[in-house]
Amino acid sequence: MKLAQFLKNELGRDWSADCISQTTEGALSKRTANNWYNGEKRPILDLVIDGLKYRQLLADSKTE
């Protein structure tokens, strides 16, 4: 599985590596995300994704 597929599975169809880079204000670039996904830092990427899921949940709950 590629990083883009992983992100779409975890975060939904609207998410991409570029989207994560924008959301994290460049702190996690597409290149860094790819390196983490393919290396030993993947657990950190999972934490970042969990944080993004949580942020999305908060945003969704505020709009309701």
Side-chain angles (χ1 to χ4, degrees), residues 26-47:
L28 184 62
S29 68
K30 183 176 182 178
R31 183 177 181 184
T32 302
N34 267 312
N35 288 342
W36 287 8
Y37 178 74
N38 293 314
E40 71 276 0
K41 291 187 178 177
R42 187 153 175 186
I44 299 173
L45 180 61
D46 288 335
L47 284 175

Side-chain angles (χ1 to χ4, degrees), residues 3-35:
L3 175 65
Q5 292 170 308
F6 175 71
L7 294 175
K8 285 178 180 161
N9 287 348
E10 290 294 317
L11 297 170
R13 298 183 68 92
D14 300 335
W15 287 87
S16 66
D18 291 332
C19 195
I20 284 197
S21 182
Q22 292 167 8
T23 305
T24 59
E25 297 173 357
L28 184 62
S29 68
K30 183 176 182 178
R31 183 177 181 184
T32 302
N34 267 312
N35 288 342

Side-chain angles (χ1 to χ4, degrees), residues 22 34 58 61-62:
Q22 292 167 8
N34 267 312
L58 286 179
S61 67
K62 285 180 182 175

